[in-house]
Amino acid sequence: MKKNLIEELVKSKNFIDRKDYLLLDPRIDSLKKKISLLVSNTYNNLGELLDIIDSSSYIPTISCTPFSFKLFVSADSKIHLCEKIGYKYPLGYIDINNIPQFDFESLAINYNKYYKTIACECLKCYNIYTCSTCLFERNFKCKKFSKEDYTKQLEYYTKNDYYFSYYYPYFTGYNKDFCINQLKFDLLDIFSQELDENSIFSRQLINSNFYGRLSIFPNGEIFSCINKVTLGNISSNSIKNIILEEMTENRNWFLTRKSVSPCSSCKYNILCPSISDFEIFMNYFSFCNLQSWSRL
């Protein structure tokens, strides 16, 4: 599989334009991390090479540190680390004057406590540098890897020529056909979903990928979908007004299959997953290969 992938990339007309494409493959990135773990002469940057930075200092797990990547604002004006870990661990909130409020001292104390809870186990784990566990999703519990477990995992990856459980197409602007081929689905995929009545009903009204979520960029710009126009700036716009406008003007929170072509004329549009950022970024909504008979 790896050989075929490399041959396909080399033959691709876009390969020269995207020399870093291989490095973006999650499987190769995962293999790189595993190799780095097994040898002692790898460095992540010039500072580690010159001993300017202590490379032995490492924050365990894949968990993001506060303010290092992004922030997520829930509909109740609370600020969270991201949208995937639930609302149990808010970092702060936005007050009535639209000013973000943080207690940095408490955050530092809490996060030191979080990491201290798992540090002892992580130091004994052979998967520490390639861990894909978020401590918030596991409620600070994780099964550590022994040397035998890690050896078996490496043997499995080697025998199966497989380095990562999932990979996502990287849209370069030149490889549209490749992305479509990787993401396409059919009627069997649609019917294989386990959907209850609430899920089917909600897909007719809201976009489950965007609904109830706002993203705030470092410059203060607010988005309900990062690939659409900004809704305003936190320094000059009220969060409550932005939420109200989002609810009343049927923007991205209510972007359903019925509002885009060709999905609007398909009789299965209420069963398909909500429109994703990937589709909006590509400006392409025909990843299904349903034939014309599926149209109303």
Side-chain angles (χ1 to χ4, degrees):
M1 182 176 68
K2 180 178 66 176
K3 181 179 179 181
N4 293 337
L5 172 64
I6 295 176
E7 289 178 350
E8 179 184 348
L9 288 171
V10 172
K11 293 178 181 178
S12 171
K13 63 180 181 180
N14 299 320
F15 180 72
I16 297 177
D17 296 331
R18 299 297 302 178
K19 293 180 180 179
D20 59 343
Y21 190 84
L22 277 174
L23 298 178
L24 295 172
D25 191 316
R27 294 170 298 176
I28 293 177
D29 181 63
S30 181
L31 177 62
K32 180 183 68 174
K33 291 179 180 178
K34 294 182 186 302
I35 293 175
S36 298
L37 176 64
L38 298 176
V39 297
S40 59
N41 61 339
T42 60
Y43 306 91
N44 295 313
N45 51 59
L46 184 61
E48 290 184 4
L49 177 62
L50 301 177
D51 286 331
I52 298 173
I53 299 174
D54 181 9
S55 59
S56 64
S57 298
Y58 182 77
I59 298 178
T61 76
I62 200 174
S63 309
C64 301
T65 53
F67 315 108
S68 63
F69 181 57
K70 63 178 178 180
L71 294 175
F72 168 67
V73 179
S74 54
D76 58 359
S77 297
K78 290 185 179 180
I79 303 174
H80 305 271
L81 194 61
C82 78
E83 74 282 2
K84 299 178 181 178
I85 64 173
Y87 299 161
K88 296 180 181 179
Y89 311 100
L91 302 177
Y93 64 95
I94 297 175
D95 64 21
I96 58 175
N97 297 315
N98 297 325
I99 299 176
Q101 299 291 339
F102 301 101
D103 186 342
F104 295 105
E105 185 175 350
S106 295
L107 284 176
I109 293 173
N110 289 335
Y111 270 78
N112 284 332
K113 185 192 304 180
Y114 299 155
Y115 287 119
K116 187 176 181 181
T117 302
I118 62 170
C120 293
E121 294 300 318
C122 290
L123 289 174
K124 304 173 186 176
C125 180
Y126 273 75
N127 201 35
I128 182 173
Y129 294 110
T130 53
C131 180
S132 59
T133 299
C134 174
L135 62 89
F136 296 106
E137 292 180 339
R138 298 291 183 88
N139 293 319
F140 312 107
K141 295 179 181 179
C142 184
K143 181 182 178 181
K144 64 181 179 182
F145 268 56
S146 64
K147 184 176 181 180
E148 291 74 20
D149 292 333
Y150 201 78
T151 302
K152 289 179 181 178
Q153 186 186 64
L154 289 176
E155 290 176 351
Y156 174 80
Y157 289 153
T158 304
K159 289 179 181 179
N160 292 275
D161 194 17
Y162 191 73
Y163 306 116
F164 205 76
S165 299
Y166 302 97
Y167 72 96
Y168 300 92
Y170 181 80
F171 181 55
T172 65
Y174 305 101
N175 59 345
K176 184 175 181 179
D177 291 340
F178 170 77
C179 291
I180 293 173
N181 185 58
Q182 297 299 315
L183 295 172
K184 66 183 179 181
F185 58 93
D186 56 24
L187 196 60
L188 182 61
D189 294 318
I190 294 176
F191 287 147
S192 65
Q193 302 176 95
E194 297 182 2
L195 298 176
D196 54 24
E197 292 182 5
N198 289 335
S199 298
I200 296 175
F201 181 71
S202 66
R203 289 184 181 185
Q204 300 178 56
L205 300 175
I206 65 173
N207 186 305
S208 59
N209 292 320
F210 306 142
Y211 187 79
R213 299 175 179 177
L214 293 175
S215 298
I216 301 180
F217 279 33
N219 62 358
E221 296 294 323
I222 304 172
F223 299 83
S224 54
C225 170
I226 59 175
N227 288 302
K228 290 293 193 73
V229 298
T230 179
L231 306 178
N233 193 289
I234 193 172
S235 63
S236 56
N237 298 94
S238 167
I239 290 291
K240 292 183 179 179
N241 288 340
I242 286 177
I243 293 175
L244 180 61
E245 291 177 5
E246 187 73 25
M247 296 290 290
T248 56
E249 297 183 11
N250 294 334
R251 292 175 175 171
N252 303 311
W253 286 1
F254 300 95
L255 181 63
T256 64
R257 296 282 172 187
K258 294 181 180 179
S259 58
V260 299
S261 178
C263 303
S264 57
S265 59
C266 179
K267 62 184 177 182
Y268 299 109
N269 57 28
I270 64 173
L271 300 177
C272 284
S274 295
I275 295 171
S276 66
D277 265 318
F278 204 96
E279 294 171 86
I280 294 174
F281 182 71
M282 289 185 62
N283 194 28
Y284 185 84
F285 304 95
S286 301
F287 285 101
C288 66
N289 58 0
L290 300 180
Q291 303 300 318
S292 58
W293 56 264
S294 70
R295 309 301 173 192
L296 292 173

